[in-house]
Every structure is written in C-alpha cells, then in structure tokens.
Amino acid sequence: MLLDFEKPIADLEAKLADMKQLAQDKHVDVHTAVKFLEESIIKLKKETYQNLTRWQRVQLSRHSERPYTLDYVYNITDQFIELFGDRTVKDDKAMVGGFGAIDGQTFMIIGQQKGRNTKQRQQRNFGMANPEGYRKALRLMKMAEKFNKPIVTFIDTPGAYPGIEAEERGQGEAIARNLREMFMLKVPVICIIIGEGASGGALGIAIGDKVLMLENTWYSVISPESCSSILWRSWEYKEQAAEALKLTAEDMMKFKLIDGIIEEPLGGAHTDINRMSQTVKQEIIRNLDILNQLTPQERINLRIEKFCSMGVYIE
C-alpha cells in the first residue's frame, strides 16, 4: 500500500532498483550513482516523515501493513494464552486478551484487533468492539487484579460498534463501567495507542497509570472524516478537520493528555515490525519498573488526579 505523499520516495527507489539491475545485467560500474541515489532517498524520507501533516499521520496510522495488537503480542511475549468470552453474551473477536509473559513477568494483555483481509475484517468487525467486547476486557482486568498481574492495553479502533444491536445490549453502559472500574484497579495499567484511537471506543480500555502513543497514531473524540461530514456536510474537508482536531501524539503531549510518545522506525511502524515491537517491549518494562515503586493506593490516586486535571473548565 503506497500513500500519496510516499510516491516521490517510491519513484526514487524504483530508479535505484533499475540502476542496480542494469549494473548486474550489463556489468556497468554505477557505484557513484547508486550511492548518490541511496543518500537522496534517505534524505527525502527524513524530510517527508519528519514534516507530516496531521492528516498524513492519520493515513499512516491506518496503513494496511501496520502491526496490530496480536502482532505485538506474539513479538514481545515468550508465551501467550488467549482468553475468551464475557460470560454473558458471547466472545467478541474485535477485542482480544489473555495472559502473556514478557521477560519472565506475566501481564494481562488486552487490545482491539483488526483484520488483514476481507474475511478477517468481517470476523474482527474492523476493530469495532460490541458491549460484550468491553465486558470481556473488564472481566480480564478484574482477573489480572485478582492474581496481582499488571495490565497492558493496546488501543487501535475507529470507534465502538455503533449498530442498533450494540446499543440494545448497552454499549454506553459497558464503556462507562470500564472507565469507572479502570480508575480503581489496584495493579499497574499501561495503555498504548498503536493505531487509531477514536472516541469512547478507544477510551473504554485507555484509563491507565501511563498512557503512551506511537509516533504516527491519533487520539480524538471523532475521526477527521466524521468531523468533516458534520461541519461541512462532506468528507472532502477531512484534512482541514484533522488540523482543527489536533489529534496527533505531539498534540496530545502538549495538552498533557498522554504520558509519552514512542518513536517509530523511519517510514512508520510497518517498515520494521520487529524493531517496533522491541521498542514497545522496552517501554512496557521501563514504565512497569516506575509504577512498581508506588503502592496500589498511590497509583489509584495519581490515576484519578491525572484524568481529573485534563481539560479547561469554569466553575
């Protein structure tokens, strides 16, 4: 998948490949030209990815090859045991979770999961969880608390599923209950936005002691397209909407809504999944060491204080 702003880079890479093929077929010395092209590609990549617009970061966060929750899980854990069901309705495939061991420490890992192909996307409901998905997540969090295991959540969703049946089964109540219960969890909670962080669907598993965002992700009450359709009655103004929403990781840090940004490989997380996974793993371990120095009540108090201090209001 090639994004619009990546085409100049792709053109140079194609020229480089042609040049190398020519040198191999015709036995021509093009070492100098190859070196110049390679340097030009690196320079162009840095200029492009270090100066992305907000909309371009939204596009990168949705890249079809970007790692999803289970990609990280299987890359960072030594062993993972997936758990299923909310014990009320059914198992929601859009929300995955289970116990996983990272460097000998057991974690409860929970996250939204998207699909790679049409069949998987339908099975995973495009990463949009139903009420049973959020109730499943809460059940697993309570299990983690019972066994005194830290929790890691991976957020990547275009929003909670908005269907009639989801509303009938209490979508709003399920998310609201998660928010309340996550504030009071006695174990460390680390939340990482790895792709899209849209609305209450993201927030439903994002109340944590540490909330981190990958460099090319977004976090907002509404997507740029939906915002554009409401304000301008058209999706054509999504770029302007993205700028107005200020939804990037850098924006979130400025507003003090998150605790840190995790740097991605040049070109995005999908360009080097192993390296990205190891970076995420290191951040999880580093933040857990910090949180373990606090008592459960201290973590709860700081968690509540952090979220209560967000935003601007007048009494």
Side-chain angles (χ1 to χ4, degrees):
M1 178 182 173
L2 192 64
L3 301 173
D4 291 341
F5 61 87
E6 294 177 316
K7 287 178 181 177
I9 298 169
D11 291 341
L12 282 182
E13 289 176 334
K15 287 181 181 178
L16 179 62
D18 291 342
M19 194 174 290
K20 287 181 177 180
Q21 189 63 46
L22 177 67
Q24 186 177 342
D25 295 343
K26 304 294 184 180
H27 303 289
V28 181
D29 185 10
V30 290
H31 176 74
T32 304
V34 166
K35 186 178 179 182
F36 175 76
L37 260 181
E38 287 175 339
E39 290 174 352
S40 298
I41 290 170
I42 293 171
K43 183 180 178 182
L44 182 58
K45 277 186 175 182
K46 287 181 179 179
E47 289 175 355
T48 301
Y49 293 110
Q50 289 175 359
N51 297 284
L52 292 174
T53 65
R54 290 181 173 91
W55 172 246
Q56 287 169 341
R57 292 200 187 276
V58 170
Q59 289 179 294
L60 263 185
S61 75
R62 297 170 174 168
H63 198 287
S64 61
E65 296 173 11
R66 193 173 179 86
Y68 297 147
T69 294
L70 289 177
D71 296 312
Y72 286 108
V73 168
Y74 291 125
N75 270 293
I76 69 176
T77 61
D78 306 313
Q79 184 181 13
F80 179 67
I81 301 172
E82 189 172 354
L83 302 172
F84 303 90
D86 70 334
R87 299 297 185 267
T88 304
V89 179
K90 63 178 181 179
D91 181 55
D92 189 342
K93 301 296 182 185
M95 188 78 73
V96 297
F99 284 116
I102 303 176
D103 286 356
Q105 168 67 56
T106 301
F107 289 82
M108 176 62 79
I109 306 175
I110 301 165
Q112 286 109 351
Q113 176 68 21
K114 296 178 178 177
R116 292 287 175 196
N117 53 43
T118 303
K119 185 177 180 181
Q120 288 180 1
R121 285 171 189 144
Q122 289 176 335
Q123 182 188 32
R124 300 290 184 183
N125 201 27
F126 300 89
M128 298 186 292
N130 278 278
E132 52 268 27
Y134 291 101
R135 290 177 180 130
K136 168 186 176 180
L138 182 58
R139 182 178 77 83
L140 299 187
M141 290 179 202
K142 287 294 187 179
M143 184 185 293
E145 183 179 47
K146 179 180 179 180
F147 293 108
N148 195 31
K149 302 300 180 186
I151 299 167
V152 174
T153 67
F154 289 115
I155 295 98
D156 185 14
T157 180
Y161 184 58
I164 293 174
E165 61 272 30
E167 298 298 341
E168 288 174 342
R169 293 197 296 274
Q171 185 73 285
E173 187 276 339
I175 293 172
R177 185 178 294 273
N178 277 27
L179 303 187
R180 187 187 70 180
E181 296 295 335
M182 288 187 76
F183 275 116
M184 305 309 295
L185 289 171
K186 296 177 182 178
V187 294
V189 184
I190 300 169
C191 307
I192 306 173
I193 298 165
I194 59 172
E196 300 184 271
S199 193
L203 197 59
I205 58 168
I207 304 296
D209 302 296
K210 296 291 182 180
V211 180
L212 311 173
M213 287 179 71
L214 268 59
E215 185 181 355
N216 295 310
T217 61
W218 63 275
Y219 196 20
S220 176
V221 70
I222 194 170
S223 71
E225 293 94 334
S226 297
C227 178
S228 175
S229 67
I230 291 171
L231 295 181
W232 291 284
R233 305 298 185 204
S234 169
W235 280 24
E236 293 179 7
Y237 300 93
K238 52 187 178 291
E239 291 92 344
Q240 293 95 310
E243 290 298 316
L245 286 168
K246 293 181 171 57
L247 39 59
T248 65
E250 191 176 335
D251 293 323
M252 295 299 105
M253 277 296 290
K254 287 179 182 176
F255 295 140
K256 298 180 180 179
L257 298 178
I258 61 170
D259 302 295
I261 300 173
I262 302 176
E263 186 179 350
E264 296 185 20
L266 189 63
H270 59 282
T271 60
D272 193 340
I273 294 176
N274 288 332
R275 178 182 160 193
M276 187 72 255
S277 298
Q278 290 307 307
T279 303
V280 168
K281 178 180 176 179
Q282 290 166 11
E283 283 295 316
I284 290 171
I285 294 169
R286 184 181 70 83
N287 280 283
L288 180 64
D289 288 342
I290 294 170
L291 295 173
N292 277 337
Q293 295 173 20
L294 304 171
T295 66
Q297 192 58 51
E298 285 173 336
R299 285 195 296 265
I300 290 170
N301 292 342
L302 288 172
R303 204 181 297 156
I304 294 171
E305 183 183 337
K306 178 175 71 172
F307 281 88
C308 286
S309 67
M310 291 179 182
V312 177
Y313 60 92
I314 299 173
E315 291 186 358

PDB file of all heavy atoms in Angstrom, residues 15 29-30 44 49 81 84 125 128 136 138 146 148 158 172 186 191 201 208 218 235 257 262 286:
ATOM      1  N   LYS A  15      13.936   3.830  -9.342  1.00  0.00           N
ATOM      2  CA  LYS A  15      15.115   4.187 -10.138  1.00  0.00           C
ATOM      3  C   LYS A  15      16.358   3.483  -9.618  1.00  0.00           C
ATOM      4  O   LYS A  15      17.196   3.009 -10.393  1.00  0.00           O
ATOM      5  CB  LYS A  15      15.329   5.705 -10.105  1.00  0.00           C
ATOM      6  CG  LYS A  15      14.325   6.503 -10.921  1.00  0.00           C
ATOM      7  CD  LYS A  15      14.641   7.984 -10.850  1.00  0.00           C
ATOM      8  CE  LYS A  15      13.617   8.793 -11.636  1.00  0.00           C
ATOM      9  NZ  LYS A  15      13.880  10.253 -11.537  1.00  0.00           N
ATOM     10  N   ASP A  29      29.689  -0.103 -14.141  1.00  0.00           N
ATOM     11  CA  ASP A  29      30.015   0.437 -12.822  1.00  0.00           C
ATOM     12  C   ASP A  29      29.152   1.682 -12.560  1.00  0.00           C
ATOM     13  O   ASP A  29      29.375   2.746 -13.154  1.00  0.00           O
ATOM     14  CB  ASP A  29      31.498   0.803 -12.756  1.00  0.00           C
ATOM     15  CG  ASP A  29      31.900   1.262 -11.354  1.00  0.00           C
ATOM     16  OD1 ASP A  29      31.073   1.102 -10.427  1.00  0.00           O
ATOM     17  OD2 ASP A  29      33.021   1.785 -11.186  1.00  0.00           O
ATOM     18  N   VAL A  30      28.174   1.528 -11.702  1.00  0.00           N
ATOM     19  CA  VAL A  30      27.309   2.669 -11.358  1.00  0.00           C
ATOM     20  C   VAL A  30      27.367   2.943  -9.855  1.00  0.00           C
ATOM     21  O   VAL A  30      26.412   3.439  -9.264  1.00  0.00           O
ATOM     22  CB  VAL A  30      25.842   2.382 -11.801  1.00  0.00           C
ATOM     23  CG1 VAL A  30      25.722   2.388 -13.309  1.00  0.00           C
ATOM     24  CG2 VAL A  30      25.337   1.069 -11.211  1.00  0.00           C
ATOM     25  N   LEU A  44      15.271  12.319   1.544  1.00  0.00           N
ATOM     26  CA  LEU A  44      13.869  12.576   1.233  1.00  0.00           C
ATOM     27  C   LEU A  44      12.944  11.937   2.262  1.00  0.00           C
ATOM     28  O   LEU A  44      11.927  12.526   2.655  1.00  0.00           O
ATOM     29  CB  LEU A  44      13.536  12.054  -0.173  1.00  0.00           C
ATOM     30  CG  LEU A  44      12.100  12.304  -0.670  1.00  0.00           C
ATOM     31  CD1 LEU A  44      11.791  13.798  -0.669  1.00  0.00           C
ATOM     32  CD2 LEU A  44      11.909  11.720  -2.063  1.00  0.00           C
ATOM     33  N   TYR A  49       8.927  12.278   6.431  1.00  0.00           N
ATOM     34  CA  TYR A  49       8.306  11.729   7.637  1.00  0.00           C
ATOM     35  C   TYR A  49       8.483  12.594   8.870  1.00  0.00           C
ATOM     36  O   TYR A  49       7.748  12.430   9.846  1.00  0.00           O
ATOM     37  CB  TYR A  49       8.832  10.316   7.892  1.00  0.00           C
ATOM     38  CG  TYR A  49       8.378   9.337   6.834  1.00  0.00           C
ATOM     39  CD1 TYR A  49       9.271   8.809   5.911  1.00  0.00           C
ATOM     40  CD2 TYR A  49       7.048   8.953   6.737  1.00  0.00           C
ATOM     41  CE1 TYR A  49       8.856   7.919   4.926  1.00  0.00           C
ATOM     42  CE2 TYR A  49       6.621   8.062   5.768  1.00  0.00           C
ATOM     43  CZ  TYR A  49       7.536   7.553   4.861  1.00  0.00           C
ATOM     44  OH  TYR A  49       7.105   6.681   3.891  1.00  0.00           O
ATOM     45  N   ILE A  81      -1.399 -16.860  26.347  1.00  0.00           N
ATOM     46  CA  ILE A  81      -2.585 -17.713  26.460  1.00  0.00           C
ATOM     47  C   ILE A  81      -3.813 -16.817  26.300  1.00  0.00           C
ATOM     48  O   ILE A  81      -4.140 -16.021  27.192  1.00  0.00           O
ATOM     49  CB  ILE A  81      -2.634 -18.435  27.822  1.00  0.00           C
ATOM     50  CG1 ILE A  81      -1.385 -19.296  28.002  1.00  0.00           C
ATOM     51  CG2 ILE A  81      -3.889 -19.285  27.932  1.00  0.00           C
ATOM     52  CD1 ILE A  81      -1.246 -19.901  29.382  1.00  0.00           C
ATOM     53  N   PHE A  84     -11.218 -16.035  26.352  1.00  0.00           N
ATOM     54  CA  PHE A  84     -12.357 -15.710  25.509  1.00  0.00           C
ATOM     55  C   PHE A  84     -13.624 -15.461  26.325  1.00  0.00           C
ATOM     56  O   PHE A  84     -13.792 -16.006  27.402  1.00  0.00           O
ATOM     57  CB  PHE A  84     -12.629 -16.851  24.513  1.00  0.00           C
ATOM     58  CG  PHE A  84     -11.450 -17.184  23.637  1.00  0.00           C
ATOM     59  CD1 PHE A  84     -10.523 -18.142  24.033  1.00  0.00           C
ATOM     60  CD2 PHE A  84     -11.263 -16.542  22.424  1.00  0.00           C
ATOM     61  CE1 PHE A  84      -9.436 -18.456  23.244  1.00  0.00           C
ATOM     62  CE2 PHE A  84     -10.175 -16.840  21.622  1.00  0.00           C
ATOM     63  CZ  PHE A  84      -9.260 -17.792  22.025  1.00  0.00           C
ATOM     64  N   ASN A 125     -14.775  -7.384  12.862  1.00  0.00           N
ATOM     65  CA  ASN A 125     -15.658  -6.213  12.820  1.00  0.00           C
ATOM     66  C   ASN A 125     -14.856  -4.914  12.704  1.00  0.00           C
ATOM     67  O   ASN A 125     -15.196  -3.894  13.313  1.00  0.00           O
ATOM     68  CB  ASN A 125     -16.564  -6.170  14.052  1.00  0.00           C
ATOM     69  CG  ASN A 125     -17.805  -5.322  13.843  1.00  0.00           C
ATOM     70  OD1 ASN A 125     -18.268  -5.169  12.715  1.00  0.00           O
ATOM     71  ND2 ASN A 125     -18.327  -4.750  14.911  1.00  0.00           N
ATOM     72  N   MET A 128     -13.964  -2.789  15.726  1.00  0.00           N
ATOM     73  CA  MET A 128     -15.009  -2.074  16.477  1.00  0.00           C
ATOM     74  C   MET A 128     -15.710  -3.043  17.418  1.00  0.00           C
ATOM     75  O   MET A 128     -16.475  -3.910  16.981  1.00  0.00           O
ATOM     76  CB  MET A 128     -16.014  -1.429  15.521  1.00  0.00           C
ATOM     77  CG  MET A 128     -15.410  -0.390  14.609  1.00  0.00           C
ATOM     78  SD  MET A 128     -16.642   0.489  13.596  1.00  0.00           S
ATOM     79  CE  MET A 128     -17.169  -0.829  12.509  1.00  0.00           C
ATOM     80  N   LYS A 136     -15.857  -8.190  28.230  1.00  0.00           N
ATOM     81  CA  LYS A 136     -14.782  -9.192  28.218  1.00  0.00           C
ATOM     82  C   LYS A 136     -13.485  -8.557  28.718  1.00  0.00           C
ATOM     83  O   LYS A 136     -12.775  -9.128  29.554  1.00  0.00           O
ATOM     84  CB  LYS A 136     -14.606  -9.719  26.793  1.00  0.00           C
ATOM     85  CG  LYS A 136     -13.352 -10.548  26.539  1.00  0.00           C
ATOM     86  CD  LYS A 136     -13.274 -10.866  25.050  1.00  0.00           C
ATOM     87  CE  LYS A 136     -12.018 -11.615  24.661  1.00  0.00           C
ATOM     88  NZ  LYS A 136     -11.988 -11.910  23.210  1.00  0.00           N
ATOM     89  N   LEU A 138     -13.116  -5.971  30.680  1.00  0.00           N
ATOM     90  CA  LEU A 138     -13.217  -5.712  32.115  1.00  0.00           C
ATOM     91  C   LEU A 138     -13.084  -6.998  32.924  1.00  0.00           C
ATOM     92  O   LEU A 138     -12.439  -7.012  33.974  1.00  0.00           O
ATOM     93  CB  LEU A 138     -14.551  -5.026  32.430  1.00  0.00           C
ATOM     94  CG  LEU A 138     -14.772  -4.660  33.900  1.00  0.00           C
ATOM     95  CD1 LEU A 138     -13.671  -3.749  34.417  1.00  0.00           C
ATOM     96  CD2 LEU A 138     -16.141  -4.010  34.089  1.00  0.00           C
ATOM     97  N   LYS A 146      -7.110  -9.781  40.498  1.00  0.00           N
ATOM     98  CA  LYS A 146      -7.230 -10.878  41.458  1.00  0.00           C
ATOM     99  C   LYS A 146      -5.902 -11.595  41.654  1.00  0.00           C
ATOM    100  O   LYS A 146      -5.536 -11.961  42.780  1.00  0.00           O
ATOM    101  CB  LYS A 146      -8.295 -11.863  40.966  1.00  0.00           C
ATOM    102  CG  LYS A 146      -8.494 -13.069  41.861  1.00  0.00           C
ATOM    103  CD  LYS A 146      -9.572 -13.989  41.299  1.00  0.00           C
ATOM    104  CE  LYS A 146      -9.767 -15.211  42.178  1.00  0.00           C
ATOM    105  NZ  LYS A 146     -10.811 -16.121  41.636  1.00  0.00           N
ATOM    106  N   ASN A 148      -2.962 -10.266  40.878  1.00  0.00           N
ATOM    107  CA  ASN A 148      -1.911  -9.256  41.044  1.00  0.00           C
ATOM    108  C   ASN A 148      -0.949  -9.216  39.850  1.00  0.00           C
ATOM    109  O   ASN A 148       0.265  -9.214  40.012  1.00  0.00           O
ATOM    110  CB  ASN A 148      -1.133  -9.490  42.349  1.00  0.00           C
ATOM    111  CG  ASN A 148      -0.299  -8.285  42.738  1.00  0.00           C
ATOM    112  OD1 ASN A 148      -0.663  -7.143  42.444  1.00  0.00           O
ATOM    113  ND2 ASN A 148       0.829  -8.520  43.391  1.00  0.00           N
ATOM    114  N   PRO A 158     -11.439   2.350  15.142  1.00  0.00           N
ATOM    115  CA  PRO A 158     -12.122   3.524  14.582  1.00  0.00           C
ATOM    116  C   PRO A 158     -13.319   3.941  15.428  1.00  0.00           C
ATOM    117  O   PRO A 158     -14.010   4.892  15.101  1.00  0.00           O
ATOM    118  CB  PRO A 158     -12.570   3.034  13.199  1.00  0.00           C
ATOM    119  CG  PRO A 158     -12.705   1.561  13.331  1.00  0.00           C
ATOM    120  CD  PRO A 158     -11.665   1.132  14.333  1.00  0.00           C
ATOM    121  N   GLY A 172     -23.122   2.057  25.683  1.00  0.00           N
ATOM    122  CA  GLY A 172     -22.721   3.181  26.527  1.00  0.00           C
ATOM    123  C   GLY A 172     -22.446   2.763  27.963  1.00  0.00           C
ATOM    124  O   GLY A 172     -21.463   3.191  28.582  1.00  0.00           O
ATOM    125  N   LYS A 186      -6.160  -1.983  41.238  1.00  0.00           N
ATOM    126  CA  LYS A 186      -5.033  -1.908  42.172  1.00  0.00           C
ATOM    127  C   LYS A 186      -3.691  -2.248  41.524  1.00  0.00           C
ATOM    128  O   LYS A 186      -2.642  -2.017  42.115  1.00  0.00           O
ATOM    129  CB  LYS A 186      -5.289  -2.850  43.359  1.00  0.00           C
ATOM    130  CG  LYS A 186      -6.496  -2.449  44.193  1.00  0.00           C
ATOM    131  CD  LYS A 186      -6.764  -3.442  45.303  1.00  0.00           C
ATOM    132  CE  LYS A 186      -8.004  -3.059  46.092  1.00  0.00           C
ATOM    133  NZ  LYS A 186      -8.322  -4.045  47.159  1.00  0.00           N
ATOM    134  N   CYS A 191      -1.336   1.803  29.020  1.00  0.00           N
ATOM    135  CA  CYS A 191      -2.154   1.849  27.803  1.00  0.00           C
ATOM    136  C   CYS A 191      -1.323   2.418  26.652  1.00  0.00           C
ATOM    137  O   CYS A 191      -0.686   3.460  26.820  1.00  0.00           O
ATOM    138  CB  CYS A 191      -3.385   2.714  28.032  1.00  0.00           C
ATOM    139  SG  CYS A 191      -4.363   2.251  29.485  1.00  0.00           S
ATOM    140  N   GLY A 201     -14.767   4.385  22.116  1.00  0.00           N
ATOM    141  CA  GLY A 201     -14.303   3.040  21.773  1.00  0.00           C
ATOM    142  C   GLY A 201     -12.857   2.824  22.165  1.00  0.00           C
ATOM    143  O   GLY A 201     -12.466   1.724  22.572  1.00  0.00           O
ATOM    144  N   GLY A 208      -5.349   4.538  32.261  1.00  0.00           N
ATOM    145  CA  GLY A 208      -4.178   3.864  32.825  1.00  0.00           C
ATOM    146  C   GLY A 208      -3.260   4.791  33.595  1.00  0.00           C
ATOM    147  O   GLY A 208      -3.381   6.021  33.538  1.00  0.00           O
ATOM    148  N   TRP A 218      -3.236   8.509  16.206  1.00  0.00           N
ATOM    149  CA  TRP A 218      -4.099   9.647  16.561  1.00  0.00           C
ATOM    150  C   TRP A 218      -5.087   9.251  17.646  1.00  0.00           C
ATOM    151  O   TRP A 218      -5.417   8.093  17.808  1.00  0.00           O
ATOM    152  CB  TRP A 218      -4.809  10.207  15.334  1.00  0.00           C
ATOM    153  CG  TRP A 218      -5.767   9.281  14.640  1.00  0.00           C
ATOM    154  CD1 TRP A 218      -5.455   8.356  13.688  1.00  0.00           C
ATOM    155  CD2 TRP A 218      -7.181   9.189  14.824  1.00  0.00           C
ATOM    156  NE1 TRP A 218      -6.586   7.698  13.277  1.00  0.00           N
ATOM    157  CE2 TRP A 218      -7.665   8.189  13.938  1.00  0.00           C
ATOM    158  CE3 TRP A 218      -8.100   9.859  15.634  1.00  0.00           C
ATOM    159  CZ2 TRP A 218      -9.014   7.843  13.856  1.00  0.00           C
ATOM    160  CZ3 TRP A 218      -9.453   9.514  15.558  1.00  0.00           C
ATOM    161  CH2 TRP A 218      -9.891   8.517  14.670  1.00  0.00           C
ATOM    162  N   TRP A 235     -17.057  14.716   3.164  1.00  0.00           N
ATOM    163  CA  TRP A 235     -15.784  14.173   3.633  1.00  0.00           C
ATOM    164  C   TRP A 235     -14.582  14.865   2.984  1.00  0.00           C
ATOM    165  O   TRP A 235     -13.441  14.601   3.329  1.00  0.00           O
ATOM    166  CB  TRP A 235     -15.711  12.666   3.334  1.00  0.00           C
ATOM    167  CG  TRP A 235     -16.458  11.832   4.320  1.00  0.00           C
ATOM    168  CD1 TRP A 235     -17.497  12.235   5.114  1.00  0.00           C
ATOM    169  CD2 TRP A 235     -16.233  10.454   4.644  1.00  0.00           C
ATOM    170  NE1 TRP A 235     -17.941  11.197   5.901  1.00  0.00           N
ATOM    171  CE2 TRP A 235     -17.178  10.080   5.635  1.00  0.00           C
ATOM    172  CE3 TRP A 235     -15.335   9.495   4.195  1.00  0.00           C
ATOM    173  CZ2 TRP A 235     -17.247   8.810   6.172  1.00  0.00           C
ATOM    174  CZ3 TRP A 235     -15.399   8.217   4.731  1.00  0.00           C
ATOM    175  CH2 TRP A 235     -16.336   7.887   5.705  1.00  0.00           C
ATOM    176  N   LEU A 257      -2.415  15.146  27.751  1.00  0.00           N
ATOM    177  CA  LEU A 257      -3.426  14.087  27.765  1.00  0.00           C
ATOM    178  C   LEU A 257      -2.799  12.699  27.748  1.00  0.00           C
ATOM    179  O   LEU A 257      -3.479  11.704  28.010  1.00  0.00           O
ATOM    180  CB  LEU A 257      -4.358  14.249  26.558  1.00  0.00           C
ATOM    181  CG  LEU A 257      -5.157  15.562  26.515  1.00  0.00           C
ATOM    182  CD1 LEU A 257      -5.998  15.634  25.255  1.00  0.00           C
ATOM    183  CD2 LEU A 257      -6.038  15.704  27.743  1.00  0.00           C
ATOM    184  N   ILE A 262       6.132   7.068  21.773  1.00  0.00           N
ATOM    185  CA  ILE A 262       7.077   6.012  21.399  1.00  0.00           C
ATOM    186  C   ILE A 262       7.488   6.220  19.951  1.00  0.00           C
ATOM    187  O   ILE A 262       6.642   6.228  19.046  1.00  0.00           O
ATOM    188  CB  ILE A 262       6.452   4.617  21.581  1.00  0.00           C
ATOM    189  CG1 ILE A 262       5.997   4.427  23.031  1.00  0.00           C
ATOM    190  CG2 ILE A 262       7.442   3.529  21.185  1.00  0.00           C
ATOM    191  CD1 ILE A 262       5.279   3.113  23.301  1.00  0.00           C
ATOM    192  N   ARG A 286      10.078  -0.568  31.152  1.00  0.00           N
ATOM    193  CA  ARG A 286      10.564   0.651  31.810  1.00  0.00           C
ATOM    194  C   ARG A 286       9.464   1.296  32.655  1.00  0.00           C
ATOM    195  O   ARG A 286       9.693   1.684  33.806  1.00  0.00           O
ATOM    196  CB  ARG A 286      11.064   1.643  30.757  1.00  0.00           C
ATOM    197  CG  ARG A 286      11.690   2.915  31.332  1.00  0.00           C
ATOM    198  CD  ARG A 286      12.148   3.857  30.236  1.00  0.00           C
ATOM    199  NE  ARG A 286      11.017   4.443  29.535  1.00  0.00           N
ATOM    200  CZ  ARG A 286      10.344   5.501  29.976  1.00  0.00           C
ATOM    201  NH1 ARG A 286      10.674   6.078  31.124  1.00  0.00           N
ATOM    202  NH2 ARG A 286       9.348   5.990  29.278  1.00  0.00           N
TER     203      ARG A 286
END
